[in-house]
Structure formats: structure tokens, C-alpha cells
Amino acid sequence: MRYKIHLDFIKHRKKFFIFSIALTVIGIVMLAAAGLNYGVDFRAGTNMDVEVGKPITAEQAERIVAEAGFEGVHPTIGGDGDRVTIRFPETLTQQEVEKVEGLFKAQFGDQVSREVNSVDPELAREQLRHAIIAVLVASVGIILYVSIRFEWRFAIAGIVALLHDAFIVITIFAIFRLEVNLTFIVAVLTIIGYSINDTIVIFDRIRENLRFAKLKSDGDLALVVNNSIWQTFTRSINTVVTVLVAAVALFIFGSESIRLFSLAIIIGLVAGAYSSIGIASPIWYVLKKGSLGRSK
């Protein structure tokens, strides 16, 4: 049965490929030029969150930190304007932490509280290494699953889409110098899970439609892929929008500590919905098209 195709995704596949390649090149240039803005989890130092209980400006906080003997450190204000986040490039001693806290208490009273997270250089390197291994293990596991469940062409297309989604998030964080920490890695792994879910839904429909298709030309194969995308389009969009609403709500109303996590999820969801349709399926079509003549 032939379905009306509102947009021929296979016909416009080169546009999708060029767009994604352009984003990838921009990301590579940014990473080569400036790298990522690693948080305290991946870079040695101390992160100090101070709850002052009263409105405070960044200038006031910077003066207090400078008075404690730390020049060039720029605190950021969060919460309702009463929370100060200070990232020190070196690991502070207990005496230095108490000195900073004491200066805040001297100006804002005893209601001041603080939370300190320190990471030494070796632990920072180890956490970065483990984060990279986690992403690689997840990717290899997905390749094996899709290869066994479907075929190797689906596996290649799926993993390219996954790497595309992860790299899009990394590119955005590199361009805008957003902090990369352990919650960012959790967000990337979550994105990989949602992305492969959308992709497998389309792949499963392609495989089902292939059972009843008579492939005599590339056009017949393109029709199968386009029909499969449109048959699952509503489900994919509904799934993404549902999760996107929750992620946007967390980004707007959530605390400062999960805001970047929510932003990474939002970017990844949009990239995943796009790649499942515009990257994974067309790549499978290109790989499968080359085998039509041999299979006949």
C-alpha cells in the first residue's frame, strides 16, 4: 500500500547530512580552539555554595572573596539572589574554607551556610576517564543489541545518530562555555537512551514494511523508508514533546544545580528527534541501496 508522502526525507537527505556535518565541524573547531569548560568534577579545585539568606550582588560576593585572599575568582549568584557559587581553581584547605565562610557571616549574619565540594587532580582525571568509558560502553552495547536484533546496517546508522546527538550537545556547551560536570555525563547517557528508542521504533517499522515490499528500484526502497517514518511520526513527536515539557519545566523552575542538566536534556531531545528521522533512516537507506543490485 502506498501512502501520501508530505515530505520526502530520503530525497532531501543530503540537506540533512550537510547541516549535521556543518554543526560537527563547528564543534570540532570550538573544541580544538577552546576545549570544554570543565567543572570541578573533571578539574581539580573547590566548588563552594554559600547560602546567605539575604539578597547579594556579584560585586559584593567578589569583594568578600578577594578579602579572603582569592583574586580573580568571579562568584555567580543563583537561587533567589541569596545563593553564591564560587569555583576556586585550587583545592582549599579547611582553614581557607572557614575563612571565606567567616567573612560572609561577618557581613550577613549567622544564618549563612555553606556546601563545599573539592576534587584533587588525580580524582578529576579518574572521573573524566570513567565518564568517557561509560559513554563508550553504552555505545558498544547499543551496537551489539541493534546488530543482533536487526542487522549491521541498522547498527551503523543508529550509532552514527547517537554520536551525532551527543556531539551536538557537546558543541552547544563548548560554544556557550557552559560547565561540563558529572551531571552532564548523566544527561548525555540519558539522551543516548531516548535517541536510540526513537530510532529503533522507526527501524522496527522499516523492517516490518520490508516484509511486504517488492523492491525493484531505489525508489521502492525510499518509499518504504518514508512510509515508515510517517507511520511512526506522531508517536515519536508525542514521546519527545512529553519529555520535553518536563525538561523545560525543570530548566525554568528547577534549582541552579540541575539547570544545565535540564538544558542538555532539552538540546539532546531535539537533536535525537531530528537525527532519528534525518540522519539514521537516510544512512540506513544509503547502505541498503548499495546491496539491492547484489541481492537481486
Side-chain angles (χ1 to χ4, degrees):
M1 179 179 179
R2 289 178 177 262
Y3 295 83
K4 181 181 178 182
I5 298 176
H6 303 282
L7 174 63
D8 191 335
F9 294 104
I10 300 304
K11 179 181 178 181
H12 297 286
R13 65 185 182 278
K14 291 183 179 179
K15 297 177 183 178
F16 297 134
F17 292 163
I18 291 172
F19 174 72
S20 294
I21 290 172
L23 285 179
T24 302
V25 171
I26 292 173
I28 292 173
V29 171
M30 285 300 303
L31 290 173
L36 290 171
N37 179 25
Y38 290 111
V40 69
D41 294 325
F42 298 136
R43 186 170 61 187
T46 296
N47 198 71
M48 187 172 181
D49 290 321
V50 182
E51 194 81 41
V52 298
K54 299 177 182 179
I56 182 175
T57 64
E59 290 75 17
Q60 288 177 301
E62 192 167 338
R63 281 198 300 270
I64 293 173
V65 173
E67 188 179 343
F70 301 98
E71 299 288 345
V73 176
H74 305 288
T76 57
I77 308 301
D80 295 323
D82 60 353
R83 183 183 181 90
V84 183
T85 299
I86 315 164
R87 188 171 69 186
F88 299 92
E90 65 274 4
T91 303
L92 301 188
T93 64
Q94 183 63 30
Q95 292 75 18
E96 289 172 324
V97 170
E98 292 175 353
K99 182 179 181 180
V100 174
E101 182 184 11
L103 289 172
F104 275 100
K105 284 185 175 180
Q107 185 163 340
F108 294 95
D110 291 336
Q111 78 273 10
V112 171
S113 61
R114 47 88 172 174
E115 180 180 342
V116 178
N117 179 23
S118 294
V119 177
D120 60 51
E122 181 58 34
L123 181 58
R125 287 192 292 269
E126 183 179 351
Q127 291 190 145
L128 180 59
R129 184 167 58 251
H130 288 172
I132 294 172
I133 291 173
V135 175
L136 291 177
V137 168
S139 300
V140 171
I142 290 169
I143 291 175
L144 293 176
Y145 169 77
V146 178
S147 297
I148 296 171
R149 186 73 173 81
F150 296 90
E151 63 166 6
W152 65 269
R153 296 181 187 87
F154 285 118
I156 291 177
I159 203 63
V160 169
L162 292 186
L163 295 176
H164 167 274
D165 300 340
F167 199 75
I168 291 298
V169 179
I170 293 172
T171 296
I172 298 299
F173 271 60
I175 290 174
F176 294 100
R177 311 305 301 156
L178 300 174
E179 186 175 290
V180 172
N181 49 29
L182 284 177
T183 58
F184 174 83
I185 301 302
V186 175
V188 170
L189 292 173
T190 304
I191 290 162
I192 287 175
Y194 276 110
S195 178
I196 195 61
N197 177 68
D198 276 348
T199 302
I200 284 181
V201 168
I202 297 175
F203 283 173
D204 191 58
R205 183 55 60 92
I206 290 174
R207 185 180 61 175
E208 185 70 19
N209 288 338
L210 283 174
R211 293 172 55 191
F212 308 100
K214 296 180 180 179
L215 303 180
K216 297 180 180 179
S217 65
D218 296 347
D220 293 331
L221 183 61
L223 185 65
V224 169
V225 176
N226 279 309
N227 285 343
S228 301
I229 292 173
W230 281 110
Q231 289 166 10
T232 57
F233 190 80
T234 300
R235 178 201 180 281
S236 298
I237 295 301
N238 288 342
T239 301
V240 170
V241 169
T242 301
V243 183
L244 197 59
V245 168
V248 171
L250 281 176
F251 178 76
I252 296 174
F253 302 109
S255 65
E256 192 70 27
S257 60
I258 64 170
R259 189 153 292 163
L260 289 180
F261 169 82
S262 304
L263 179 60
I265 292 293
I266 291 170
I267 298 169
L269 286 171
V270 175
Y274 158 75
S275 68
S276 297
I277 295 171
I279 302 298
S281 301
I283 286 178
W284 177 85
Y285 165 80
V286 171
L287 295 174
K288 184 66 174 178
K289 182 180 68 171
S291 68
L292 282 182
R294 293 192 298 273
S295 64
K296 289 190 294 184

